[in-house]
Amino acid sequence: MQQSELASQSSAMMHDGETPPAPLGRRIVVNATVVSAVFAAFLALEWISFIHEYKGLPVTPWNPGLGVVFAIMVYAGPTAGLILFAGVVASEAFVLDTDLGWNVVLSLAALTAASYTAIAGLVRRTLGLDSRLSHLRDVLILLCAGLCGAVASGTLLTALLVGVGTLDWPDVWNASVPLVIGDVIGIAVVTPLLLRLVIHRHHFDPLQIATFVSETLLLAGVIMVALFVILVRDGGGGHKLFYLLFLPVVAAALRRGLDGACVALATAQLGLVAFLHLRGYNTQVFTDFQTQMLVLTATGLIVGVAVTERRHADRVAREAQARAKQKESEAAQAARFNLVSGMASALAHEITQPMTAARALARSVQHILRTPGGDLKRADTNLTSMIAQIDHAGDVLRHVRDFLRRGAPQTSTIDVHTVVREAMTLVQADAAARKIAIKVTADPGLPPLHGDHVQLQQVLINLVHNAIEAVASTGRTGTVQVATRRSDDPCGVEIAVMDDGPGIAPDMVDRVFQPLATSKHEGLGLGLSISSSIVAAHGGRIWIHSAEPGQTEFRVFLPMSPPATM
């Protein structure tokens, strides 16, 4: 039973596009490997990132190791805080070589881990942070979480050191401000970058990677030039020119969305730290630049996620539009089948008549040919009539087949009279069966149209079929009139369908073209809605000219030139 359940779970996960869970032993090895890698990365980044101690506090305006661990907390859960605790202890012991006692070191590590663990748990469970950071809300929550965690951690750490006498109150500002800025900038730069890498880890395309790498190298070059101008050429007054970094960062955000912003910010941050370190700037100058870098980071992330969100919304809209068109096509197909289903018996009668006549003519010809001295002229006449009857039946079948076909719209030059004639061929049998006369009046000078022959034919059949059913519902004979004429607009054609049925109920007039709106017991409520969509796609319009009993009239206007988007 257990094996069956595991197999079904694995199959379901693979069906959803996810990787099935590995066996327990392998999962432990993978988790241990990840923990070891994160722990090693934390220590390496602590060593690399220009850390110096200020009375027991690891004061640095750049803390990328914290950003790495916080990304794991946000993605995998707050239990990753244990890595942060162990990393802080190891960093104090082996990287900073602190003189603090072990009780103070363990307290510092516990307070740091507890602060960020609590914040990570809050944003995951209470605020519902999405680790994909695909929305502006998630990026803002992450930035606020980094700020709150840094303030909480900095406050607790300085309070602890003041309490044990290591730090004096006048030193609190000098120690806590760089610490808070370093933690916030570490989370703001590194955490989004790692989270986006995790999201894309299964979607790397070699060509896309090559393009992205080439763009990143170009971006890095521009950023290095900007940093050179800011920190070297300006002779120490680089604060005035720091805005130059906004240009490549915002450009990357506009080009690649949040991913581009993350890469640009990481490149700018690494370059800034390297330049400041090589130039030998003191902690105060370092902190001033990192404060500006924090503003740049927030700006770049917000622009990047706004671009990503907009592109995602556009993609969703395009997919929804494609699905809507597909559904509309399926609905049109269903409506056509529904129409033909209703006319099936009448069509069968329409086909049976010419075939019966053709059979009788064929027997007559056979009898003439078998009779010595038979009338060959009469036989030829009968054969001609028989061929005409067979052609008529074939035309009916061809029109039905064309009407039921499904596929992409086939736009071409259309003769209005041909559309009307073929549509009447399909509805004539149904009208005759219900003893309803169809009268067609056509303006002989109508210009050709450009559109989909079958779709326009469906519009006309829908209107005439509805008129036939309306007249038939009165239980008496009646008339349906179809008129084609030039519109008052000289660049279009107007088609009118009139009947002497019971009219349209007032409560249906305003919603007759809405989907699923129908007054017929067996109607789908799709015919007029689809007709309206087809006419609109051709750049025309359809409306009720009269809803009165005995003089109901629908009109359709079609321009000679359809919209370019058709």
Side-chain angles (χ1 to χ4, degrees), residues 252-292:
L254 294 175
R255 166 68 177 156
R256 292 285 183 175
L258 184 59
D259 297 332
C262 290
V263 171
L265 290 170
T267 304
Q269 177 61 42
L270 291 172
L272 180 62
V273 171
F275 269 100
L276 292 174
H277 188 60
L278 293 174
R279 298 285 293 177
Y281 284 103
N282 58 35
T283 306
Q284 181 60 44
V285 175
F286 204 124
T287 304
D288 292 342
F289 273 107
Q290 285 296 78
T291 304
Q292 293 179 299

Side-chain angles (χ1 to χ4, degrees), residues 491-521:
C491 297
V493 172
E494 194 171 275
I495 302 174
V497 177
M498 299 158 280
D499 67 74
D500 52 4
I504 302 173
D507 63 324
M508 286 293 297
V509 172
D510 293 334
R511 59 190 185 94
V512 71
F513 294 109
Q514 297 177 3
L516 306 181
T518 180
S519 58
K520 296 181 288 186
H521 295 297

Side-chain angles (χ1 to χ4, degrees), residues 124-139:
R124 276 172 55 90
R125 297 177 183 176
T126 305
L127 300 181
L129 173 66
D130 184 356
S131 61
R132 293 173 296 181
L133 303 180
S134 52
H135 300 286
L136 178 61
R137 170 185 178 273
D138 300 314
V139 170

Side-chain angles (χ1 to χ4, degrees), residues 183-250:
D183 287 0
V184 174
I185 198 73
I187 291 175
V189 172
V190 177
T191 300
L193 178 62
L194 287 183
L195 290 176
R196 296 299 294 180
L197 285 174
V198 170
I199 295 302
H200 292 303
R201 69 188 187 278
H202 297 310
H203 306 284
F204 286 128
D205 178 79
L207 182 59
Q208 292 179 346
I209 292 176
T211 303
F212 193 80
V213 168
S214 62
E215 291 181 3
T216 301
L217 293 176
L218 177 61
L219 175 68
V222 174
I223 289 175
M224 292 304 112
V225 171
L227 287 171
F228 180 79
V229 173
I230 293 170
L231 299 174
V232 179
R233 298 295 298 174
D234 196 49
H239 295 287
K240 296 181 295 184
L241 298 177
F242 192 83
Y243 64 84
L244 291 176
L245 280 179
F246 280 78
L247 298 178
V249 171
V250 172

